[in-house]
Amino acid sequence: MIDITEKKTSLRSAAAEGFVFCAPETLKRIRENNLPKGDLFGVAKASALLASKKTSDLIPHCHLVPIDFFEISFELVDEGVKILASAKSIGKTGIEMEVLTGLSVAALTIYDLLKPIDKQLEISSIRLLEKKGGKSETQFSKFAEGSKAAILVCSDSTFAGKREDGSGKIIESILKESNVIVHEYTIVPDEPEEICKKIGEWVEAGIDLIVSTGGTGLGPRDNTTDTIRNLLDQEIPGIAEAMRSFGQDRTPYAMLSRSLAGRIKKTLVVCVPGSSNGARESLKAIFPAIFHAKKMMRGEGH
């Protein structure tokens, strides 16, 4: 199975359609509710609900997904029965397979109930109509693409060449995955003067996002958070809360992070931990939705 531990829990939905083609005489008997095996659509609906809940048992690589809503409907059309199914889930992975499985079994049930009177039945055109949530949600991605970002590694040991930077490289990789332009990548000691100078340069240059890594802990030289907080025009506590909440599900030490986010003029500043895992998890928690702030800071609303 694919590792989904770094995925965010979010609202996900999917819709699908399919057809069971049958003879005109069969359609007539469906309308008259005159079938040898009784109720057609009630049984098909029940089978769809049961099958959707068993998807992970039937398809090896599917994760067990909580189904928070499932709906299936049937419509008689000229060629036979049209089936529509939709579902919603708040989880880490999509729900399209549950929708398609439920719909497919509903079609098979209809086939089973109609086969005594129709030898030309055909199940056809089962397809996904829509999928929302997770990576398929593109409403924020357009704000990320083409944005300019800068990375500030705040570490005495890394600046002195005693320690190789890992978190800054991870941040760079995640930015590039979101089609964000990395304007500059700089390493400075955890000195307030150095941090202020670099951030000031980038704000004046019109950088959309500054990500600092390091200096968010409780050590005597962890100056980054306090230094950057004093520079902010507005603090955005929800971003830091999202990062800590995401991290807390993975390690109890996340509660000790003093991660911070806020705005300086039209530049968004985010401070993430200096550990590789902390930096990765923090950005996974807020990307790409964080770039919606870019639109808001420009006065373009929501």
Side-chain angles (χ1 to χ4, degrees):
M1 297 173 74
I2 293 175
D3 184 359
I4 61 170
T5 56
E6 288 192 348
K7 287 191 174 184
K8 298 188 293 293
T9 298
S10 64
L11 175 62
R12 299 164 189 270
S13 63
E17 72 173 6
F19 295 85
V20 179
F21 297 133
C22 57
E25 178 60 27
T26 304
L27 276 173
K28 182 174 181 294
R29 292 188 63 172
I30 294 172
R31 290 190 177 96
E32 294 172 351
N33 195 23
N34 177 23
L35 298 171
K37 292 188 177 182
D39 180 25
L40 179 66
F41 297 136
V43 176
K45 181 178 181 179
S47 70
L49 292 171
L50 290 171
S52 65
K53 295 175 182 178
K54 290 289 185 179
T55 300
S56 62
D57 292 337
L58 299 170
I59 303 175
H61 284 280
C62 281
H63 293 83
L64 181 62
V65 174
I67 302 174
D68 300 312
F69 167 80
F70 187 92
E71 182 178 55
I72 191 160
S73 62
F74 309 94
E75 179 186 352
L76 297 182
V77 295
D78 292 342
E79 301 88 353
V81 180
K82 179 181 180 180
I83 310 169
L84 291 170
S86 62
K88 294 180 182 179
S89 172
I90 296 178
K92 291 184 178 181
T93 189
I95 197 170
E96 71 274 13
M97 293 308 300
E98 285 67 25
V99 171
L100 290 166
T101 299
L103 189 149
S104 298
V105 172
L108 286 168
T109 302
I110 292 172
Y111 188 102
D112 179 55
L113 297 179
L114 295 180
K115 68 183 182 183
I117 63 171
D118 193 335
K119 304 305 179 185
Q120 304 300 317
L121 293 171
E122 180 184 341
I123 296 173
S124 181
S125 304
I126 293 175
R127 67 190 183 104
L128 186 68
L129 297 175
E130 182 181 64
K131 174 185 175 182
K132 290 183 178 180
K135 286 187 176 180
S136 66
E137 193 66 74
T138 59
Q139 60 176 319
F140 301 122
S141 297
K142 61 184 178 181
F143 301 125
E145 189 168 354
S147 295
K148 289 184 179 180
I151 302 165
L152 187 65
V153 179
C154 303
S155 169
D156 293 338
S157 58
T158 304
F159 181 76
K162 299 177 181 178
R163 174 179 172 271
E164 185 177 350
D165 172 50
S167 58
K169 292 176 182 176
I170 288 170
I171 293 167
E172 182 179 36
S173 175
I174 294 173
L175 287 168
K176 289 181 177 178
E177 283 176 10
S178 299
N179 296 317
V180 176
I181 299 167
V182 177
H183 171 77
E184 193 174 341
Y185 177 132
T186 298
I187 300 172
V188 297
D190 205 343
E191 289 285 353
E193 185 178 339
E194 295 286 342
I195 294 169
C196 291
K197 178 182 177 183
K198 207 64 204 175
I199 287 180
E201 289 175 5
W202 287 338
V203 169
E204 290 306 311
I207 299 301
D208 298 304
L209 172 67
I210 297 171
V211 182
S212 75
T213 175
T216 63
L218 303 175
R221 288 286 295 165
D222 286 331
N223 297 314
T224 306
T225 297
D226 295 326
T227 300
I228 291 179
R229 179 178 279 114
N230 291 331
L231 299 175
L232 298 178
D233 295 326
Q234 286 180 324
E235 189 170 342
I236 310 173
I239 295 175
E241 289 165 9
M243 292 191 292
R244 273 190 289 272
S245 176
F246 190 79
Q248 192 68 28
D249 288 337
R250 290 150 182 82
T251 171
Y253 302 131
M255 64 182 175
L256 301 175
S257 169
R258 295 188 300 127
S259 297
L260 176 73
R263 174 185 68 83
I264 306 174
K265 296 183 179 179
K266 294 183 179 180
T267 297
L268 188 64
V269 184
V270 177
C271 307
V272 304
S275 70
S276 295
N277 282 338
R280 180 188 297 106
E281 291 167 1
S282 294
L283 290 194
K284 290 288 185 181
I286 61 176
F287 270 46
I290 190 176
F291 286 97
H292 188 56
K294 179 178 168 182
K295 181 180 180 183
M296 298 170 69
M297 290 187 298
R298 291 175 175 176
E300 299 172 8
H302 292 280

